[in-house]
């Protein structure tokens, strides 16, 4: 299976900060990379699909980039609602899809 | 709006089975595949399987194949996931999620998720 490695595993940031989360695939996955936001007790939320396409109704402060093995999720100005855990997921090797280990964004 | 509403928490003994439901609304049920994903405590997300719009075609993750059955009832727009021979490693939150692709081919990303069902396996 393709391994997805996220970094950092956690970070502390302040409201208004620019935040960057990295996801690396163990082999090339073109742009079959998706990002989700997860909060305790809530349904996870799709943010970005196909590496850089913003899901409908997701704020434009979220953006995704990358191709091949290296991908980035950027939040340009962190808002209080953005404190959550973020996961990447590869859909290249379907149905053997896999997720990253998650990045927890906490309040500094 | 699209909604996936899952059944409540379950407590089972080792060796037992559990059947979870996922009732969908807000879209044409037969237009999208449905996946199941789980998250064990302190662990990452794990894909379990997919069922197609008609319910006739399913594919399961290799590590649970033989223990899992996914079905769907188009009359109630509900999807079910049954997992048998439970062990402590099956303690997790189980999510259903709608595939973001269309009726012809799944995209294997998840555009809407249920709220999750906690399954606890304990003697």
């Amino acid at each position: 299976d393709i391994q997805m490695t996220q970094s950092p595993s956690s970070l502390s940031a302040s409201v208004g900060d620019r935040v960057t989360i990295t996801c690396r695939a163990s082999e090339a996955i073109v742009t079959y990379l998706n990002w989700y936001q997860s909060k305790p007790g809530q349904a996870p939320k799709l943010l970005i699909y196909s590496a850089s396409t913003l899901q409908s109704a997701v704020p434009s402060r979220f953006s995704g980039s990358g191709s091949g093995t290296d991908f980035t999720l950027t939040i340009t100005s962190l808002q209080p609602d953005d404190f959550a855990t973020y996961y990447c997921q590869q859909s290249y090797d379907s149905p053997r899809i896999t997720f990253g280990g998650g990045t927890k964004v906490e309040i500094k | 709006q699209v909604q996936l509403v899952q059944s409540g928490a379950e407590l089972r003994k080792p060796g037992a089975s559990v059947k979870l439901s996922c009732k969908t609304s807000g879209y044409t049920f037969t237009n999208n595949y449905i996946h199941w994903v789980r998250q064990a405590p302190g662990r990452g997300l794990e894909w379990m399987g997919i069922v197609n719009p008609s319910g006739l075609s399913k594919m399961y993750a290799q590590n649970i194949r033989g223990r899992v059955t996914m079905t769907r009832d188009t009359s109630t727009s509900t999807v079910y996931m049954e997992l048998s021979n439970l062990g402590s490693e099956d303690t997790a939150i189980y999510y259903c999620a709608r595939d973001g692709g269309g009726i012809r081919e799944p995209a294997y990303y998840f555009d809407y998720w249920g709220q999750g069902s906690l399954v606890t396996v304990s003697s």
Side-chain angles (χ1 to χ4, degrees), chain A residues 11 27 41 49-50 55 59-60 65 67 76-77 83 89 106:
Chain A
L11 63 91
E27 59 186 84
Y49 62 96
S50 300
Q55 171 68 349
S60 59
S65 64
S67 65
T76 53
S77 177
F83 293 97
Q89 174 241 330
E106 299 175 300

Side-chain angles (χ1 to χ4, degrees), chain A residues 18-19 21 35 47-48 51-54 58-65 72-76:
Chain A
R18 179 185 181 93
V19 169
I21 298 169
W35 290 98
L47 301 174
I48 303 280
S52 61
T53 303
L54 195 67
V58 172
S60 59
R61 63 181 179 273
F62 291 93
S63 65
S65 64
T72 299
L73 174 69
T74 300
I75 310 171
T76 53

Side-chain angles (χ1 to χ4, degrees), chain B residues 17-115:
Chain B
S17 298
V18 68
K19 188 172 185 177
L20 306 178
S21 67
C22 171
K23 184 170 177 58
T24 72
S25 61
Y27 72 101
T28 302
F29 180 68
T30 52
N31 280 359
N32 293 80
Y33 290 71
I34 293 287
H35 301 261
W36 288 86
V37 176
R38 68 180 177 178
Q39 185 168 28
R43 303 196 65 177
L45 294 161
E46 177 189 14
W47 179 80
M48 298 179 68
I50 182 174
V51 55
N52 81 332
S54 70
L56 298 177
S57 176
K58 303 136 192 184
M59 195 170 296
Y60 304 132
Q62 188 168 8
N63 65 328
I64 57 172
R65 205 169 293 164
R67 294 201 296 131
V68 65
T69 304
M70 296 178 187
T71 55
R72 56 196 293 164
D73 181 348
T74 54
S75 68
T76 60
S77 301
T78 301
V79 183
Y80 299 91
M81 191 282 297
E82 184 169 20
L83 190 62
S84 63
N85 194 22
L86 292 168
S88 58
E89 69 278 8
D90 296 313
T91 294
I93 298 174
Y94 289 76
Y95 296 99
C96 59
R98 193 183 82 161
D99 187 270
I103 190 171
R104 290 169 57 187
E105 187 173 340
Y108 283 91
Y109 65 84
F110 318 112
D111 61 356
Y112 291 93
W113 297 61
Q115 84 279 15

Side-chain angles (χ1 to χ4, degrees), chain A residues 22-98:
Chain A
T22 297
C23 180
R24 174 165 289 174
S26 61
E27 59 186 84
I29 58 171
V30 196
T31 56
Y32 289 86
L33 191 284
N34 314 297
W35 290 98
Y36 303 90
Q37 179 192 68
S38 179
K39 297 179 181 179
Q42 296 186 23
K45 178 182 177 182
L46 175 67
L47 301 174
I48 303 280
Y49 62 96
S50 300
S52 61
T53 303
L54 195 67
Q55 171 68 349
S56 175
V58 172
S60 59
R61 63 181 179 273
F62 291 93
S63 65
S65 64
S67 65
T69 60
D70 294 316
F71 302 86
T72 299
L73 174 69
T74 300
I75 310 171
T76 53
S77 177
L78 197 66
Q79 298 300 301
D81 191 48
D82 301 339
F83 293 97
T85 300
Y86 294 84
Y87 294 93
C88 62
Q89 174 241 330
Q90 64 82 16
S91 48
Y92 175 79
D93 190 27
S94 61
R96 289 171 297 277
I97 58 175
T98 48

